[in-house]
Every structure is written in structure tokens, then in C-alpha cells.
Amino acid sequence: MPAHDVLIIGAGLAGQRAALAAAETGASVAIMSKVHPVRSHSVAAAGGINAAIAIDDDWTEHAYDTVKGSDFLGDQDAIEIMCSEAPGEAMHLEHIGVTFHRNDKGELDLRAFGGASKKRTAYVADITGQAILHVLYEQLMRHHETVDSFEEWFCTSLIRDDDGHCAGAVARDIRSGTIEVFNAKSVILANGGNGQCYKPTTNALICTGDGIAQAYRAGAPIMDMEMVQYHPTTLAENGFLITEGARGEGAHLLNSEGRRFMEDYAPNKMELASRDVVSRAEQTEINEGRGVGPDGQGIYLDITVVPRKRVLEALREIVNIGRDFAGTDITREPIMIRPGQHYIMGGVRTDVDGQTPIPGLYAAGEVACVSVHGGNRLGANSLLDTLIFGRRSGEHAARRGKELAMPKAPATRASEDAAQIKQIIDRPHDGRRVSEIKDELGATMNEFVAVYRDEDGLKKAGEIVGRLKEQAAEAYVDDRGTVFNQDVLGALEVGYMIDCAEMTIVSAIDRKESRGAQFRLDYPDRHDEEWLKHINVTRSADGEPEISYSPVTITQWEPEVRKY
Ligand SMILES: Cc1cc2nc3c(=O)[nH]c(=O)nc-3n(C[C@H](O)[C@H](O)[C@H](O)COP(=O)(O)OP(=O)(O)OC[C@H]3O[C@@H](n4cnc5c(N)ncnc54)[C@H](O)[C@@H]3O)c2cc1C
């Protein structure tokens, strides 16, 4: 049985940053990923990473923008840590080899991003995630003596010992189908988000909420799940992302009258208001009949106002995406976009060192909720979150390991998960296909749990998801083999997605106000007296989601009316 001081599940930016920090703090580390690490969703991050490094900027301004962006639901102690440590982290990245864009004077260049009062986003063209992920992967190789990498291993569940401490995890080698128990003093979840609960989404196929659901099943509280971000500019046909960097470089949003409608909604920040505000404005234009395209369900993003040379230099990936996936040359004509699911603000509740309430279990990155994003995440704050809290988790877990003996992880746990997988493979072919259930889940969430919500729609979504949960328990798979059986893993993933969707729906029903990404048509105002608090969901003894509340930490910024 493999045994390590720190086991990290997920090798995106949060996982790799945690692994590097843990190794540098002297721990033995295992890092596991269900896909090759550099295919983690982090590789798709385009626009950049925020840090107050400009001479006229200050981390407190970054922190205030983040607090305001969160609609005052973010915990200010955590936001202060993230923003004050950001410049150091960005410099560290540069020193280990990330080639951030520089201006003509040779200084680090910064681009404008939504909800930010200054230009604060460092970038590598529009492939920032890829640039950072590859550098971290290289850096980790230097620690090959203490870091074991388990590429294409799929974690199926977490293990708690008799004292309730997290003692490791169970995982399946996708290549061979072998199941093993991984023993560890600490486990860091870095599994990313659950965007695949929605269809369409900007997220990769692997973003299925495995870590959130596994932590939930192990008894951890899951926080802020009602807060689901819709990005204002995704391709109408397939949900592909057009980075906010486009608006950062100056692109306009136009309705069917050819008008920059953002002047009605956010006269000061226009297209660069925060994402919840812009997505809502677009959806309102569409709902009121001022959308574009054959079905009136789109909005035009006009990038032709940005000089062509600059577009080709700083936004070359979206030039390719526009051409290949929408048949549009964005340097010459507007492209049709609409709001689409993009990011999960909620996740496994942690403190500022990544610790969950379960001893030995940590979480960092999109799977976690510290909470630095509260009701709405600012663009380019997620890469920062993954790195800052990935590093802090890795360091903390490594230090913790120095004082502890290896906890007991019964090897029998492997056979329980193996039996569950066999049960799925053996199911008769009279239920529904996993892919059908997934499609219906995505469409349901996108219809009823989207930019605008109300009690009737949310309850309807709850009923549909309840039925899908029953159907998923009997859904069949075609592949009965052991080698690269992605089919059976897909059945496990749909179960995780349904758990996440259920948590999102119960939290959205419970929050009877509008704040950040949650806009309730039946409760259109923000109510600080009653709702300035986090909703936590835990799993009850009979497997149902149970709600409790925790306070929002306020250090220096009292809630105020939010205008852009
Ligand atoms: C298209 C796109 C563009 C974006 N652009 C930006 C941007 O410019 N700036 C910004 O700040 N943010 C951006 N974001 C958001 C940001 O990229 C993500 O929130 C962040 O990269 C998540 O990183 P992570 O390390 O938490 O998870 P991920 O990168 O999603 O990695 C998750 C890891 O967990 C592993 N995993 C999951 N489940 C299991 C399991 N059961 N067993 C084993 N391994 C498992 C996966 O294999 C993977 O290695 C963007 C997101 C998208 C989708």
C-alpha cells in the first residue's frame, strides 16, 4: 500500500502548487490525477492572474474590489491573505519560468479585467493557465525523489480512521482497472469544480465535482453552493469561452439595436462591471427582445474596435476559437455570445490554510470554498486562489505530517469500491444510459438554476434531479472491461454531479434574497440583516442534504450598496 505524508488528489494548478510547496517543506508526496496533469482544466485558463504589482496599485485596493465583487459574502480575512500574498506569488512564478507578457519598456504588462479598479491582470497572451501549469509540472520533476506521481488514476472515495481523521483515499488505476488504498497523514483535495452539472459550460469534461461529492459523502460541510458563475461571453452554440481579456482590451457588447446597452446597467464600468452584473444585463436584453441571432438568444461581442495587431498579439487563441468553432473572424466582425456556466464559487469549506473541519482533510482551488469569491468571483482571481491556497495547504499539511504517525487505512476499503464498480458493470441494460442522464441534468440546471431563478423553477429542478438520482442508481454502461474503462468512471462521475446539483438547488431555494450570482426574481433585493451569512450543506444520516449557517468574516469593509 503506498503511504505518504501528503496525498494530493488533482494535478491542476492547485494540486501542483500544493505538491511543490509540500515537497519544499520536506514531505513525501503523492499527486494523483484522472487525466494527464497538463490536461487539467487549469490549462484552459486564458485571461490571466490578478496581483497588485503596478506602482500605483496596492493590495488593499485589490482586496476591496474582491470584497465588492463577492457582493460582501467573501470572508475578508481570507481575501486579505490572498491579495497581500499575490504580488509575491506572481514574482515567484516569473522566477521559476512563467514568461508573463512585457510592454515596450520591458516592464510586466497588466491588462484590465472586470470589477477591478486598476489594470491588475498579468498574462501570457491568452494562454496564461497553460503557461503556468507547464512550468509547475517541470518544477515538480525536480522533486522526483520525494514526489510520486499517479497519472491517470481515479480517486473513488476518501478514508476516515476510527478517530474520524482522514487517513487516505481509494483510487483506481484507469489503465489496468486495479484498485488500491493510498495511505496518507493528510489528503489535499484539488479536484477542481463541477461545471459539467450544466450544459453548456465552459468547463472541461473532467470537471464533474468528484472532490466536492466525495468530501460531502465523508461528512465535510460544503459552502456557498448556490453561487454559480455565468460568464458573460461564451459561444452561443457550444459554451466555449471567449476570455474576459477581450473586454479588457476594449471590446464592446452590442444588442440588436447596435447599442452598448451596458450604459443602462453599469454606466461607470460598462463592459468591465463584475460578471454577475454583465451576465444579468445580457440576459435582460435577450428576455426583453433585444437579443441577436436567429432565435434572438445572443448578444454581439465586438472585438473589431481593438486594433487588429493587438488582437493577434494578445488574444490569438480566441481568434482561433472564433474561426474554428463559430466561423467568425473576430478581427473583422462581431461574434455572437451569451452568458454560460463558467465557475463554482462554492465548494468544500476550508480555513485559510486549506483545512476542512475533518482533521487531515484539506481542499484548495475550485473544489474549495475559503471563501474568497463569496457571491461572485472576479475574473483572474481564480488562478490566484488556486496558487495561494494550494501553496498554503501544501505547506501546512507537510508541517502537520512531521508530528504525526501514519494513521490506519484498512485495505478492505479497496474491496468495497471494487464491489461498487462491479455492481455498475453488471447492471442489466434496462435502465437509462449515463450520458442521457447527464444531458438532462445539464439542461435542467441551465434552465432553472441559471442567471435568473425563482422558487417554482428551483423546486422543479429539485424534482427532476431527484428522479435522475434514482435513474443514475440503475444506469447501465456498455464497456464491461478493465482497461481504460471510462464508461464506468462516467457512471461514478454522474453520481458526483447529481450530489453537487442537489446541494446547489437546496442552497438556492434556501437563500431568499438576491446577492452576487444568485438572483431570485421572487426576492430581488439583498437582505444583509438576514442573509449576510454562508449556507453550509452537510449530508444527514439518511443521505439527504442538511442546511446550517456560518458567519461572514468582516475585517475592514462594511457592506454597502454595490454599483458599477
Ligand atoms: C475556459 C476557462 C478559462 C478560464 N480562465 C481563467 C483565467 O484566465 N483566470 C482565472 O483566474 N481563472 C480562469 N478560469 C478558472 C480557473 O481556470 C479554474 O478555476 C482553475 O484553473 C481550477 O484549478 P484547480 O487546480 O482547482 O482544478 P483543475 O485545473 O480543474 O484540476 C482538477 C484536477 O483534479 C483531477 N481530478 C478530478 N477528479 C479526480 C478524481 N476523481 N480522481 C483523480 N483526479 C481527479 C483532474 O484530473 C485535474 O488534475 C478559467 C476556467 C475555464 C473553464
Side-chain angles (χ1 to χ4, degrees), residues 10-11 13-14 33-34 40-42 45-48 155 210 343 366 380 382-383:
L13 285 180
S33 171
K34 65 180 176 179
S40 303
H41 186 62
S42 294
C155 175
D210 310 12
Y343 184 82
E366 197 168 336
S382 172
L383 294 190

Side-chain angles (χ1 to χ4, degrees), residues 20 74 124 143 155 217 239 249 254 267 269 282 301 309 311 346 366 379 395 405 425 443 448 507 522-523 536:
L20 195 58
V124 183
H143 294 276
C155 175
R217 293 174 190 185
E249 298 289 340
L254 307 173
K269 296 296 289 180
E282 291 179 1
L301 175 69
K309 181 168 172 286
V311 174
E366 197 168 336
E395 285 169 356
I425 288 178
F448 299 114
S507 305
D522 41 356
Y523 300 96
N536 291 253

